[in-house]
Amino acid sequence: MLTKRIIPCLDIKNGRTVKGVNFLDLIDAGNPVELAQKYSEQGADELAFLDITATLENRKTLQALVREIATTINIPFTVGGGIASINDVEALLKNGADKIAINSSAITNRKLVGELSREFGNQCIVVAIDAKLENKQWRVYRSGGKIPTELFLLDWAKEVEQNGAGELLFTSMNHDGTKNGFANEMLAQLSETVNIPIIASGGAGKMEDFIDAFHFGKADAALAASVFHFGTIQIPELKKVLQNNNIPIRQ
Protein backbone atom coordinates (compact mmCIF):
# COMPACT_ATOMS: atom_id res chain seq x y z
CA MET A 1 0.00 0.00 0.00
CA LEU A 2 1.31 3.43 -0.90
CA THR A 3 2.20 5.58 2.06
CA LYS A 4 0.23 8.76 2.65
CA ARG A 5 2.12 12.04 2.57
CA ILE A 6 2.22 15.08 4.85
CA ILE A 7 3.01 18.31 2.99
CA PRO A 8 3.59 21.65 4.71
CA CYS A 9 2.80 24.56 2.39
CA LEU A 10 4.59 27.89 2.16
CA ASP A 11 2.25 30.51 0.71
CA ILE A 12 4.59 33.30 -0.34
CA LYS A 13 3.89 37.01 -0.68
CA ASN A 14 6.65 39.63 -0.91
CA GLY A 15 9.20 36.99 -0.01
CA ARG A 16 7.51 36.05 3.29
CA THR A 17 5.33 33.13 4.31
CA VAL A 18 1.73 34.26 4.82
CA LYS A 19 -1.55 32.65 5.86
CA GLY A 20 -5.17 33.73 5.70
CA VAL A 21 -8.73 32.47 6.05
CA ASN A 22 -10.83 31.70 2.95
CA PHE A 23 -7.98 33.23 0.89
CA LEU A 24 -8.40 36.60 2.69
CA ASP A 25 -6.87 38.57 5.59
CA LEU A 26 -3.30 37.39 5.14
CA ILE A 27 -0.93 37.58 8.09
CA ASP A 28 2.82 37.00 8.29
CA ALA A 29 3.80 33.45 9.22
CA GLY A 30 7.59 33.59 9.11
CA ASN A 31 10.76 33.25 7.09
CA PRO A 32 10.19 30.68 4.31
CA VAL A 33 13.79 29.42 4.29
CA GLU A 34 13.80 28.80 8.04
CA LEU A 35 10.38 27.11 7.91
CA ALA A 36 11.42 24.91 4.98
CA GLN A 37 14.52 23.74 6.82
CA LYS A 38 12.51 22.98 9.95
CA TYR A 39 9.93 20.91 8.06
CA SER A 40 12.61 18.97 6.22
CA GLU A 41 14.31 18.14 9.53
CA GLN A 42 10.98 17.22 11.20
CA GLY A 43 10.22 14.55 8.60
CA ALA A 44 7.75 16.19 6.23
CA ASP A 45 7.32 14.02 3.14
CA GLU A 46 7.31 16.92 0.69
CA LEU A 47 7.26 20.71 0.71
CA ALA A 48 5.03 22.99 -1.37
CA PHE A 49 5.92 26.59 -2.25
CA LEU A 50 3.12 28.68 -3.76
CA ASP A 51 3.90 32.24 -4.86
CA ILE A 52 0.29 33.29 -4.37
CA THR A 53 0.45 36.76 -5.96
CA ALA A 54 2.65 35.97 -8.98
CA THR A 55 -0.29 35.56 -11.37
CA LEU A 56 -2.17 38.61 -10.09
CA GLU A 57 0.99 40.71 -10.30
CA ASN A 58 1.78 39.30 -13.75
CA ARG A 59 5.28 38.19 -12.84
CA LYS A 60 7.27 34.99 -12.58
CA THR A 61 7.85 32.91 -9.48
CA LEU A 62 10.61 34.10 -7.13
CA GLN A 63 13.43 31.92 -8.50
CA ALA A 64 16.15 33.09 -6.12
CA LEU A 65 13.99 32.18 -3.13
CA VAL A 66 13.16 28.81 -4.68
CA ARG A 67 16.88 28.13 -5.13
CA GLU A 68 17.67 29.16 -1.55
CA ILE A 69 15.00 26.86 -0.14
CA ALA A 70 15.99 23.96 -2.40
CA THR A 71 19.55 24.04 -1.06
CA THR A 72 18.35 23.72 2.55
CA ILE A 73 15.98 20.74 2.22
CA ASN A 74 16.30 17.09 1.24
CA ILE A 75 12.67 16.28 0.46
CA PRO A 76 10.66 16.62 -2.79
CA PHE A 77 9.83 20.24 -3.54
CA THR A 78 6.76 21.43 -5.48
CA VAL A 79 6.70 25.04 -6.69
CA GLY A 80 3.78 27.04 -8.10
CA GLY A 81 2.82 30.59 -8.98
CA GLY A 82 3.03 32.48 -12.26
CA ILE A 83 4.03 29.40 -14.29
CA ALA A 84 2.76 29.65 -17.85
CA SER A 85 5.30 28.09 -20.22
CA ILE A 86 7.92 25.39 -20.80
CA ASN A 87 10.62 28.00 -20.17
CA ASP A 88 9.11 28.86 -16.77
CA VAL A 89 9.20 25.20 -15.74
CA GLU A 90 12.76 24.71 -17.00
CA ALA A 91 13.91 27.69 -14.93
CA LEU A 92 12.30 26.39 -11.75
CA LEU A 93 13.60 22.85 -12.20
CA LYS A 94 17.11 24.27 -12.69
CA ASN A 95 16.67 26.20 -9.45
CA GLY A 96 15.78 23.09 -7.45
CA ALA A 97 12.08 22.37 -7.88
CA ASP A 98 11.16 18.68 -8.27
CA LYS A 99 7.55 19.27 -9.35
CA ILE A 100 5.63 22.30 -10.51
CA ALA A 101 2.06 23.29 -9.75
CA ILE A 102 -0.05 25.18 -12.26
CA ASN A 103 -3.46 26.66 -11.63
CA SER A 104 -4.63 29.79 -13.47
CA SER A 105 -2.46 29.20 -16.52
CA ALA A 106 -3.99 25.75 -17.03
CA ILE A 107 -7.40 27.44 -17.19
CA THR A 108 -6.44 30.29 -19.51
CA ASN A 109 -4.41 28.00 -21.78
CA ARG A 110 -6.16 24.64 -22.00
CA LYS A 111 -3.25 23.11 -23.97
CA LEU A 112 -0.64 23.89 -21.31
CA VAL A 113 -1.03 20.77 -19.15
CA GLY A 114 -0.49 18.53 -22.15
CA GLU A 115 2.51 20.52 -23.37
CA LEU A 116 4.22 20.42 -20.00
CA SER A 117 3.42 16.75 -19.42
CA ARG A 118 4.92 15.76 -22.77
CA GLU A 119 8.02 17.87 -22.15
CA PHE A 120 8.76 16.95 -18.54
CA GLY A 121 6.67 13.84 -17.78
CA ASN A 122 3.37 13.78 -15.93
CA GLN A 123 5.09 12.92 -12.63
CA CYS A 124 6.35 16.51 -12.62
CA ILE A 125 3.00 18.21 -13.27
CA VAL A 126 0.63 19.04 -10.40
CA VAL A 127 -2.58 20.85 -11.28
CA ALA A 128 -3.80 22.97 -8.38
CA ILE A 129 -7.55 23.55 -8.26
CA ASP A 130 -9.09 26.18 -5.99
CA ALA A 131 -12.84 25.61 -5.76
CA LYS A 132 -15.73 27.01 -3.75
CA LEU A 133 -19.07 25.38 -2.97
CA GLU A 134 -21.76 27.67 -4.41
CA ASN A 135 -25.40 26.66 -4.84
CA LYS A 136 -24.50 22.98 -4.34
CA GLN A 137 -21.81 23.08 -7.04
CA TRP A 138 -18.06 23.35 -6.66
CA ARG A 139 -17.02 26.27 -8.87
CA VAL A 140 -13.37 26.61 -9.88
CA TYR A 141 -11.62 29.92 -9.22
CA ARG A 142 -8.36 31.29 -10.61
CA SER A 143 -5.85 34.06 -9.88
CA GLY A 144 -5.38 33.20 -6.23
CA GLY A 145 -9.09 32.60 -5.68
CA LYS A 146 -10.01 36.06 -6.91
CA ILE A 147 -11.74 35.27 -10.22
CA PRO A 148 -14.59 32.75 -10.66
CA THR A 149 -14.59 30.65 -13.83
CA GLU A 150 -17.23 28.72 -15.75
CA LEU A 151 -15.57 25.45 -14.72
CA PHE A 152 -16.75 22.98 -12.11
CA LEU A 153 -14.44 20.84 -10.00
CA LEU A 154 -15.14 17.28 -11.14
CA ASP A 155 -15.31 18.16 -14.85
CA TRP A 156 -12.11 20.17 -14.65
CA ALA A 157 -10.31 17.43 -12.70
CA LYS A 158 -11.22 14.85 -15.37
CA GLU A 159 -10.06 17.18 -18.14
CA VAL A 160 -6.64 17.89 -16.66
CA GLU A 161 -6.11 14.20 -15.86
CA GLN A 162 -6.84 13.32 -19.48
CA ASN A 163 -4.45 16.06 -20.60
CA GLY A 164 -1.58 14.66 -18.58
CA ALA A 165 -1.67 15.97 -15.01
CA GLY A 166 0.19 13.62 -12.67
CA GLU A 167 -1.43 14.84 -9.47
CA LEU A 168 -4.17 17.17 -8.23
CA LEU A 169 -3.95 19.68 -5.41
CA PHE A 170 -7.54 20.45 -4.42
CA THR A 171 -8.05 23.40 -2.09
CA SER A 172 -11.52 24.01 -0.72
CA MET A 173 -11.89 27.78 -0.49
CA ASN A 174 -14.78 27.26 1.95
CA HIS A 175 -12.52 25.36 4.33
CA ASP A 176 -9.25 27.28 3.84
CA GLY A 177 -7.86 28.53 7.14
CA THR A 178 -11.00 27.65 9.11
CA LYS A 179 -9.37 24.75 10.99
CA ASN A 180 -12.67 22.87 10.80
CA GLY A 181 -11.42 19.91 8.79
CA PHE A 182 -10.96 19.11 5.11
CA ALA A 183 -13.74 18.88 2.48
CA ASN A 184 -13.87 15.11 2.90
CA GLU A 185 -17.13 14.44 1.07
CA MET A 186 -15.85 16.22 -2.02
CA LEU A 187 -12.42 14.64 -1.69
CA ALA A 188 -14.02 11.20 -1.72
CA GLN A 189 -16.01 12.07 -4.85
CA LEU A 190 -12.88 13.40 -6.47
CA SER A 191 -10.96 10.20 -5.69
CA GLU A 192 -13.71 8.20 -7.42
CA THR A 193 -13.61 10.50 -10.45
CA VAL A 194 -9.88 10.48 -11.24
CA ASN A 195 -7.12 7.89 -11.08
CA ILE A 196 -4.24 10.18 -10.14
CA PRO A 197 -3.12 11.11 -6.61
CA ILE A 198 -5.06 13.82 -4.79
CA ILE A 199 -3.57 16.25 -2.30
CA ALA A 200 -6.15 17.57 0.17
CA SER A 201 -5.81 21.23 1.11
CA GLY A 202 -7.83 23.66 3.20
CA GLY A 203 -9.17 23.17 6.72
CA ALA A 204 -6.58 21.37 8.84
CA GLY A 205 -6.97 22.32 12.49
CA LYS A 206 -6.19 19.21 14.52
CA MET A 207 -4.63 15.79 14.02
CA GLU A 208 -8.03 14.10 13.64
CA ASP A 209 -8.61 16.21 10.53
CA PHE A 210 -5.70 14.45 8.82
CA ILE A 211 -7.02 11.05 9.86
CA ASP A 212 -10.41 11.94 8.36
CA ALA A 213 -8.87 13.23 5.12
CA PHE A 214 -7.18 9.87 4.61
CA HIS A 215 -9.93 7.58 5.92
CA PHE A 216 -13.05 9.34 4.65
CA GLY A 217 -11.67 11.72 2.02
CA LYS A 218 -9.52 8.99 0.44
CA ALA A 219 -6.77 11.58 -0.08
CA ASP A 220 -3.28 10.47 -1.02
CA ALA A 221 -1.63 13.42 0.71
CA ALA A 222 -2.68 16.19 3.08
CA LEU A 223 -1.33 19.70 2.82
CA ALA A 224 -1.50 22.27 5.60
CA ALA A 225 0.04 25.59 6.52
CA SER A 226 -0.90 27.49 9.67
CA VAL A 227 -1.10 24.44 11.98
CA PHE A 228 2.54 23.75 11.13
CA HIS A 229 3.76 27.36 10.90
CA PHE A 230 2.41 28.32 14.31
CA GLY A 231 3.27 25.05 16.06
CA THR A 232 -0.27 23.79 16.66
CA ILE A 233 0.74 20.42 15.22
CA GLN A 234 4.23 18.94 15.19
CA ILE A 235 4.92 16.68 12.21
CA PRO A 236 6.65 13.84 14.14
CA GLU A 237 3.70 13.61 16.56
CA LEU A 238 1.21 13.73 13.69
CA LYS A 239 2.93 10.84 11.97
CA LYS A 240 2.81 8.73 15.13
CA VAL A 241 -0.92 9.42 15.51
CA LEU A 242 -1.57 8.52 11.86
CA GLN A 243 0.39 5.30 12.20
CA ASN A 244 -1.57 4.40 15.34
CA ASN A 245 -4.74 4.85 13.28
CA ASN A 246 -3.59 2.34 10.65
CA ILE A 247 -2.70 4.96 8.08
CA PRO A 248 0.45 3.97 6.16
CA ILE A 249 2.93 6.77 6.68
CA ARG A 250 6.67 7.15 6.19
CA GLN A 251 8.45 7.68 9.51
Side-chain angles (χ1 to χ4, degrees), residues 51 53-55 58-61 80-85 88 92 101-102 105:
D51 188 342
T53 58
T55 298
N58 195 29
R59 61 171 171 77
K60 302 306 178 189
T61 305
I83 299 168
S85 70
D88 293 342
L92 290 170
I102 57 172
S105 58

Side-chain angles (χ1 to χ4, degrees), residues 43-136:
D45 298 297
E46 297 183 16
L47 182 71
F49 171 113
L50 302 177
D51 188 342
I52 60 173
T53 58
T55 298
L56 274 175
E57 295 170 3
N58 195 29
R59 61 171 171 77
K60 302 306 178 189
T61 305
L62 303 165
Q63 293 180 19
L65 185 54
V66 168
R67 184 168 61 251
E68 189 176 1
I69 290 173
T71 60
T72 67
I73 64 175
N74 59 3
I75 54 177
F77 187 25
T78 299
V79 176
I83 299 168
S85 70
I86 286 173
N87 288 341
D88 293 342
V89 177
E90 284 179 339
L92 290 170
L93 295 179
K94 285 178 182 175
N95 280 284
D98 298 293
K99 296 189 276 190
I100 60 98
I102 57 172
N103 187 330
S104 302
S105 58
I107 295 169
T108 55
N109 176 5
R110 303 285 269 270
K111 296 180 180 179
L112 183 62
V113 173
E115 291 172 358
L116 297 180
S117 180
R118 287 189 293 274
E119 183 72 22
F120 302 103
N122 70 344
Q123 80 289 340
C124 181
I125 310 304
V126 180
V127 173
I129 304 176
D130 300 330
K132 182 188 289 187
L133 182 59
E134 300 175 338
N135 301 318
K136 298 184 179 180

Side-chain angles (χ1 to χ4, degrees), residues 148-225:
T149 72
E150 296 304 311
L151 299 168
F152 293 100
L153 176 58
L154 295 180
D155 295 334
W156 180 229
K158 283 189 283 190
E159 180 177 333
V160 296
E161 178 188 29
Q162 290 166 359
N163 288 342
E167 196 163 15
L168 295 179
L169 167 55
F170 162 48
T171 300
S172 164
M173 295 175 64
N174 305 79
H175 294 70
D176 175 70
T178 64
K179 297 189 171 73
N180 290 326
F182 295 91
N184 294 315
E185 188 176 329
M186 191 64 245
L187 280 165
Q189 285 187 50
L190 196 55
S191 72
E192 293 174 3
T193 301
V194 298
N195 295 306
I196 54 178
I198 297 165
I199 304 168
S201 169
K206 55 189 182 301
M207 294 194 195
E208 289 81 1
D209 295 334
F210 290 85
I211 296 169
D212 291 345
F214 293 130
H215 274 324
F216 303 121
K218 312 297 183 186
D220 298 280
L223 176 149

